């Protein structure tokens, strides 16, 4: 095992808690509906559960990465340009993973946890998956190891990426300066990502840099005449912790077990979320299409 | 991750949620008047054109009929509305002054809408009419 760098996330947790409390005080003055105690409790417990799951699976993932690193193409040390490159590549890998997490049900089953709150505040940022290991989210970073970047360097970069994404989960910040909005992911961009408005569905997958969405055509700007409504298409209507963590896996298992035909079964596993063999359910594409039709006929 | 860290984290989590409660956040939410319920139903399912609504006396739930024979069910969940769309009439039942709408989903549950006996019967009658 190589010498590991400190885990930046652990050091950030006290700051997370302080900022949540500050945001609550702001909410009390501006809009008391920004927080809901039961929702906050669910988010924070899901976050705690996610750290436990991460601790359980993390060792295996790191061991796999270290083992893979013996096949690396280049010998890249801790030089300054490697730090810049690893942040860029890790952020790009996050974009790819995150885009698939919204377009392939197998990955969505795990990522949906993060979107399961109808609130959008700093506590929502901590609502993280318990089952990321099963949806193989770590696989997207492994090419960076194979290129030859040191594993500890990559882990540090993805820790910083996770910390960065905390502060953007807020309605307390309107817009950042234009140059910042052009390059970085911001509260405004990420509000769009968490919104269920047809216009905003499956947009702004960015982690730290919004440039990937602009480059790959998935960017959507937040509009003042279409305020984001947060959550998922079929909101849970329940604060049950275990249900939030597992509902999509359970739904997927039910579909695969009850609907005959291997093509159908594959569709329910790896098709887009909401895909159904008889077209009876909504996907983000059908919702967008219906919304566009409605806008044209008006 | 050891047991002490986990215990301390859980304690912190409950303290933070208790502070949200003590600050009075997320209290007193309601679905609102007919027009607002219609707007919510339209937002919930694009293309939905509401024509009639059974709105709970305590503003905690609403059942909205669209002009296509479709329905949107809304229930207050925390301070927001959570909804379900039905392309055809779902299972309805009137019980005293309450209209019961079954979603067929265990975790979303059956939604009770307090609308008074006459209205509850009228809405539940739509089911018989639809099946006649
Ligand atoms: Zn997402
Ligand atoms: Zn987010």
């Amino acid at each position: 095992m190589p010498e590991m760098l400190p885990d930046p996330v652990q050091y950030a947790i006290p700051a997370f808690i302080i900022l949540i409390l500050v945001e609550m005080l702001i909410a009390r003055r501006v809009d008391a509906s920004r927080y809901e105690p039961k929702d906050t409790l669910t988010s924070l417990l899901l976050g705690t559960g996610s750290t436990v799951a991460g601790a359980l699976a993390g060792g295996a993932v790191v061991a796999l990465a270290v083992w893979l690193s013996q096949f690396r193409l280049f010998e890249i040390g801790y030089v300054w340009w490697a730090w810049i490159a690893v942040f860029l590549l890790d952020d790009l890998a996050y974009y790819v993973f995150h885009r698939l997490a919204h377009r392939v049900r197998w990955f969505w089953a795990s990522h949906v946890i993060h979107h399961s709150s109808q609130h959008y505040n700093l506590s929502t940022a901590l609502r993280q998956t318990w089952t990321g290991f099963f949806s193989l989210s770590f696989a997207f970073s492994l090419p960076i190891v194979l290129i030859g970047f040191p594993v500890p360097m990559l882990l540090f970069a993805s820790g910083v990426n996770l910390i960065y994404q905390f502060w953007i989960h807020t309605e307390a910040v309107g817009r950042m300066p234009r140059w910042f909005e052009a390059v970085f992911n911001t509260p405004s961009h990420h509000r769009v990502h968490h919104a269920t408005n047809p216009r905003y569905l499956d947009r702004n997958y960015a982690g730290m840099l919004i440039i990937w969405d602009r480059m790959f055509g998935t960017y959507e700007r937040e509009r003042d005449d279409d305020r984001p409504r947060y959550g998922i298409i079929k909101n849970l209507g329940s604060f049950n912790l275990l249900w939030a963590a597992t509902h999509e896996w359970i739904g997927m298992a039910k579909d695969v077990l009850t609907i005959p035909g291997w093509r159908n079964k594959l569709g329910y596993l790896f098709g887009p979320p909401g895909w159904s063999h008889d077209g009876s359910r909504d996907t983000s594409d059908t919702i967008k299409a219906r919304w566009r039709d409605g806008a044209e006929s008006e | 991750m050891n047991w002490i860290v986990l215990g301390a984290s859980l304690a912190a989590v409950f303290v933070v949620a208790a502070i949200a409660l003590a600050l009075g956040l997320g209290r007193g939410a309601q679905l609102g008047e007919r027009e607002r319920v219609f707007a919510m139903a339209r937002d919930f399912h694009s293309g939905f054109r509401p024509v009639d609504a059974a709105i709970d006396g305590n503003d905690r739930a609403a059942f909205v009929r669209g002009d296509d024979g479709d329905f949107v069910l809304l229930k207050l969940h925390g301070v927001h509305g959570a909804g379900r769309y039905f392309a055809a009439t779902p299972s309805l039942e009137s019980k005293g002054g309450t209209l019961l709408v079954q979603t067929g989903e265990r975790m979303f549950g059956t939604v009770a809408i307090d609308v008074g006996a006459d209205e509850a019967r009228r809405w539940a009658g739509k089911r018989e009419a639809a099946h006649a």
Side-chain angles (χ1 to χ4, degrees):
Chain A
M1 276 273 166
E3 182 105 21
M4 287 296 158
L5 294 166
D7 176 9
V9 180
Q10 273 186 14
Y11 293 91
I13 286 175
F16 288 170
I17 294 177
I18 291 166
L19 286 168
I20 287 175
L21 295 176
V22 170
E23 195 193 28
M24 281 181 182
L25 290 172
I26 295 173
R28 190 166 77 137
R29 293 185 56 142
V30 180
D31 177 3
S33 73
R34 283 185 186 166
Y35 270 89
E36 207 281 333
K38 283 197 285 285
D39 172 85
T40 310
L41 184 64
T42 308
S43 287
L44 297 179
L45 286 176
L46 283 167
T48 312
S50 172
T51 12
V52 175
L56 292 176
V61 172
V62 172
L64 174 66
V66 170
W67 178 79
L68 264 183
S69 68
Q70 63 182 308
F71 305 109
R72 62 186 175 271
L73 295 172
F74 303 99
E75 200 64 50
I76 301 171
Y78 290 86
V79 287
W80 65 269
W81 59 263
W83 280 105
I84 298 172
V86 86
F87 272 102
L88 284 171
L89 287 172
D90 176 63
D91 201 47
L92 176 60
Y94 180 83
Y95 171 87
V96 174
F97 150 71
H98 193 193
R99 190 164 166 177
L100 280 174
H102 281 264
R103 301 296 297 175
V104 176
R105 195 183 185 188
W106 180 269
F107 298 120
W108 172 244
S110 149
H111 182 60
V112 64
I113 296 183
H114 178 62
H115 288 275
S116 62
S117 173
Q118 291 182 253
H119 288 263
Y120 189 78
N121 55 43
L122 291 174
S123 78
T124 314
L126 303 182
R127 189 181 274 244
Q128 292 287 339
T129 183
W130 290 11
T131 53
F133 183 73
F134 296 104
S135 66
L136 307 176
S137 46
F138 58 90
F140 295 85
S141 309
L142 294 179
I144 302 171
V145 174
L146 284 174
I147 295 173
F149 290 92
V151 173
M153 196 185 220
L154 173 64
L155 291 175
F156 188 84
S158 57
V160 171
N161 199 314
L162 195 72
I163 294 172
Y164 179 87
Q165 291 189 43
F166 174 76
W167 80 278
I168 60 177
H169 290 86
T170 185
E171 292 189 289
V173 176
R175 306 277 154 85
M176 299 298 287
R178 275 176 73 143
W179 67 270
F180 196 92
E181 294 277 346
V183 180
F184 289 98
N185 198 6
T186 62
S188 175
H189 297 326
H190 202 58
R191 284 196 286 269
V192 164
H193 178 66
H194 275 257
T196 58
N197 313 35
R199 183 200 306 280
Y200 297 149
L201 282 175
D202 286 353
R203 287 292 178 268
N204 298 5
Y205 298 114
M208 272 190 343
L209 300 169
I210 196 71
I211 54 170
W212 312 118
D213 285 292
R214 295 187 192 274
M215 275 167 68
F216 302 124
T218 49
Y219 173 70
E220 188 70 45
R221 151 185 89 83
E222 182 187 35
R223 294 165 55 135
D224 295 327
D225 62 352
D226 195 6
R227 304 298 306 153
R229 299 182 295 276
Y230 307 108
I232 49 181
I233 306 288
K234 287 178 89 177
N235 279 307
L236 299 178
S238 151
F239 289 116
N240 186 303
L241 201 65
L242 292 175
W243 183 237
T246 58
H247 67 101
E248 190 67 24
W249 291 107
I250 292 172
M252 189 159 69
K254 258 189 200 152
D255 290 335
V256 169
L257 292 175
T258 54
I259 314 279
W262 64 270
R263 259 172 190 282
N264 293 338
K265 290 182 197 295
L266 285 177
Y268 280 111
L269 286 173
F270 303 112
W275 180 90
S276 53
H277 67 294
D278 54 1
S280 61
R281 303 181 197 170
D282 268 335
T283 66
S284 58
D285 294 329
T286 62
I287 292 169
K288 274 174 185 284
R290 200 168 58 228
W291 167 73
R292 260 184 241 113
D293 288 349
E296 271 162 25
S297 68
E298 260 167 35
Chain B
M1 174 69 60
N2 59 48
W3 292 109
I4 297 166
V5 174
L6 183 59
S9 308
L10 285 174
V13 160
F14 281 97
V15 168
V16 171
I19 291 173
L21 191 68
L23 287 173
L25 300 176
R27 233 181 251 163
Q30 289 182 322
L31 284 184
E33 296 300 311
R34 186 182 164 95
E35 278 314 307
R36 172 127 190 274
V37 166
F38 275 11
M40 281 177 79
R42 271 193 298 265
D43 284 344
F44 178 74
H45 191 86
S46 61
F48 183 74
R49 290 179 300 272
V51 289
D52 195 5
I55 302 174
D56 180 66
N58 297 313
D59 260 352
R60 301 200 54 83
F63 187 55
V64 190
R65 184 165 62 86
D67 75 348
D68 222 8
D70 50 354
F71 295 88
V72 166
L73 173 68
L74 298 165
K75 76 164 179 179
L76 205 58
H77 172 63
V79 298
H80 294 288
R84 286 296 180 266
Y85 173 79
F86 304 94
T89 320
S91 175
L92 301 173
E93 197 189 321
S94 80
K95 212 174 198 175
T98 309
L99 173 68
L100 296 173
V101 185
Q102 259 147 44
T103 58
E105 292 177 51
R106 201 166 58 87
M107 295 304 288
F108 197 91
T110 295
V111 177
I113 306 173
D114 186 2
V115 281
D118 289 350
E119 275 291 281
R121 261 197 305 275
R122 178 172 79 83
W123 278 88
K126 288 197 193 307
R127 177 179 164 74
E128 277 101 67
H131 287 252

